[in-house]
Amino acid sequence: RAGLARCAGCGGRIQDPFLLRVSPDLEWHVACLKCAECGQPLDETCTCFLRDGKAYCKRDYSRLFGIKCAQCRAAFSSSDLVMRARDHVYHLECFRCAACGRQLLPGDQFCLRERD
């Protein structure tokens, strides 16, 4: 099977004794599996994320495609506490009253208005 596979990275035939299969239909030469954004090698020591047939490291995938704070537009880390309001997600410290700037905490009542 390895002699018939085509590398999703370079397009060449994979005739190496080893290949990396990231999904059922995408295979790479070991040396070709790199983050499409930063070029970091992706192997058993680095989590790999796929989008539109391209592989990304965790940092770049999160930065490019992850949910971002509706206020500051920064990505969330796995340890961030968040507030959700309708379809919006905020860092806890970014969830503030638009009129007075006071931080809104869990249990506070608030009203959402669409931005103009």
Side-chain angles (χ1 to χ4, degrees):
R1 165 91 180 145
L4 302 176
R6 287 229 175 250
C7 177
C10 71
R13 289 201 180 277
I14 302 177
Q15 297 176 340
D16 303 355
F18 299 101
L19 60 83
L20 294 174
R21 182 174 291 132
V22 178
S23 70
D25 57 340
L26 294 175
E27 300 164 326
W28 277 265
H29 292 106
V30 173
C32 289
L33 185 57
K34 297 178 182 175
C35 175
E37 189 69 14
C38 72
Q40 174 185 351
L42 302 172
D43 55 22
E44 66 277 354
T45 65
C46 182
T47 304
C48 178
F49 294 84
L50 285 181
R51 176 120 177 191
D52 300 326
K54 294 180 181 177
Y56 297 91
C57 67
K58 182 177 182 177
R59 184 185 71 247
D60 285 328
Y61 186 87
S62 176
R63 181 178 57 81
L64 294 168
F65 308 111
I67 296 171
K68 296 181 176 56
C69 176
Q71 179 62 36
C72 73
R73 303 302 303 154
F76 296 101
S77 73
S78 59
S79 63
D80 284 339
L81 296 175
V82 300
M83 293 290 284
R84 295 179 183 273
R86 288 195 191 131
D87 297 334
H88 304 292
V89 183
Y90 300 83
H91 291 105
L92 198 57
E93 60 275 6
C94 293
F95 194 62
R96 297 180 173 275
C97 174
C100 71
R102 185 176 71 84
Q103 183 178 2
L104 298 170
L105 301 172
D108 286 348
Q109 291 186 0
F110 62 91
C111 177
L112 284 177
R113 288 187 2 187
E114 293 298 320
R115 294 181 182 166
D116 297 330

